Amino acid sequence: MNRPLILLGVLCLMEGAFAQVNISAMEYFLDVDPGHGNGTSIAITPGVIQDVNFSVATGSLSAGFHTLNIRTEDANGVWSHPESRSFFISASTTEIRTDIAAVEYFLDVDPGQGNGVSVMVTPGTDLDLMEQIPTTSLSSGFHTVYFRVQDAAGQWSATEHRPFFISSSTTEVRTNITAVEYFLDVDPGQGNGVSVAITPGTDLDLMEQIPTTSLSSGFHTVYFRVQDAAGQWSATERRPFFISQSTTEIRTNITAVEYFLNVDPGQGNGVSVAITPGTDLDLIEQIPTASLSSGFHTVY
């Protein structure tokens, strides 16, 4: 069975929160992380902003979903988080778009393909589902619903999932937030993070100074969560950030914004968005979609 090559273009630019750091190495790996420096090396010119094109051989991969991961190392030996993209290896050497013949869902735990709750559908290539999912048997707290489809050839898709929350009350109860905490990188457990001063019972708009002097250079993640008056903690909200080795802040003006749909036309070749250079930007942009086919698309 012939296998295609995945052709990729990667922008070799790694910018910190305050200063630009030169990239000295780049590597990729498929599916399983072999450890920093043990991936497949990608040839680059260190210290130069560049477009990197390389081919990934997929001949040894099994049919189905896989993940390509790319990361870079800076001149100080600090590795970035990997940037990941999923892709699919078809058992066929020609593109075949078959009808969806079956749809199923399951809650929290995967019972195995074909063992979920069946959803009645009219077979076809495009489906728009609106399904009532019973939740009376579920415990209070967070749960996840998963969907997958099967085509006319009997092949199942990957799952699409959405989290949701079951309240312990049969009526809508909106309790006050009584506590807020944050932590960096590693979860110390609920209630053991750094407490944030708030006024319980008010709508919160937090602006918190988070000390970072003890953190090493490189990527980190800050997590927030809240507790209500009943003592229940929320899920965490997280944001990644970057610590630069530079002690001076470099903040340059944004002079141009562009977007594109589905396929990258190259830097500077997207659809230009009118902005006022040198101002903080809050964009609301109308994106025309009349020319797009039915189905999934991505705006960049």
Side-chain angles (χ1 to χ4, degrees):
M1 176 171 62
N2 294 326
R3 302 282 192 181
L5 288 177
I6 300 174
L7 299 177
L8 295 149
V10 176
L11 174 63
C12 186
L13 174 64
M14 180 179 176
E15 238 185 318
F18 304 111
Q20 184 172 310
V21 181
N22 287 337
I23 292 175
S24 60
M26 179 181 289
E27 68 177 15
Y28 76 84
F29 58 91
L30 295 169
D31 299 331
V32 180
D33 191 342
H36 290 155
N38 297 321
T40 302
S41 180
I42 301 169
I44 64 168
T45 303
V48 177
I49 297 175
Q50 59 201 283
D51 283 329
V52 179
N53 295 300
F54 62 101
S55 297
V56 179
T58 60
S60 63
L61 298 178
S62 60
F65 285 93
H66 297 272
T67 304
L68 171 69
N69 303 275
I70 302 168
R71 63 183 163 215
T72 61
E73 184 184 32
D74 69 17
N76 300 310
V78 177
W79 284 95
S80 70
H81 288 303
E83 181 74 13
S84 300
R85 291 293 184 273
S86 297
F87 62 96
F88 184 81
I89 297 291
S90 173
S92 171
T93 56
T94 58
E95 182 181 359
I96 301 173
R97 192 180 186 199
T98 60
D99 284 347
I100 295 173
V103 177
E104 68 176 15
Y105 73 86
F106 57 91
L107 296 168
D108 299 331
V109 179
D110 191 342
Q113 293 176 341
N115 297 322
V117 180
S118 180
V119 177
M120 291 185 61
V121 298
T122 301
T125 55
D126 294 303
L127 300 179
D128 190 3
L129 295 177
M130 189 67 69
E131 186 68 11
Q132 295 276 352
I133 299 175
T135 60
T136 52
S137 63
L138 296 178
S139 61
S140 300
F142 285 95
H143 297 273
T144 306
V145 60
Y146 298 81
F147 279 85
R148 63 183 158 219
V149 301
Q150 186 183 46
D151 67 15
Q155 183 159 338
W156 285 97
S157 70
T159 57
E160 181 74 15
H161 62 277
R162 291 291 185 275
F164 62 96
F165 183 81
I166 297 291
S167 173
S168 57
S169 172
T170 56
T171 59
E172 183 180 359
V173 179
R174 191 180 184 194
T175 59
N176 288 334
I177 294 174
T178 58
V180 177
E181 69 176 15
Y182 72 85
F183 56 92
L184 296 168
D185 299 331
V186 179
D187 191 341
Q190 293 176 341
N192 297 320
V194 180
S195 180
V196 178
I198 63 166
T199 303
T202 62
D203 288 335
L204 304 179
D205 187 4
L206 295 177
M207 189 66 69
E208 185 69 10
Q209 295 277 352
I210 299 175
T212 59
T213 52
S214 64
L215 297 178
S216 61
S217 301
F219 285 96
H220 297 274
T221 306
V222 60
Y223 299 80
F224 279 85
R225 61 183 160 219
V226 302
Q227 186 183 44
D228 66 14
Q232 183 155 349
W233 285 96
S234 70
T236 56
E237 181 74 13
R238 66 183 190 273
R239 290 293 184 276
F241 62 96
F242 185 83
I243 297 293
S244 170
Q245 286 195 333
S246 173
T247 56
T248 57
E249 179 180 357
I250 301 173
R251 189 182 185 193
T252 59
N253 287 335
I254 295 173
T255 58
V257 176
E258 69 176 13
Y259 73 85
F260 56 92
L261 295 167
N262 299 326
V263 180
D264 191 342
Q267 293 177 343
N269 297 321
V271 180
S272 180
V273 177
I275 64 166
T276 303
T279 63
D280 289 335
L281 304 178
D282 187 5
L283 295 177
I284 297 292
E285 184 70 11
Q286 295 276 351
I287 299 176
T289 60
S291 63
L292 298 178
S293 61
S294 300
F296 287 97
H297 298 272
T298 306
V299 60
Y300 300 83

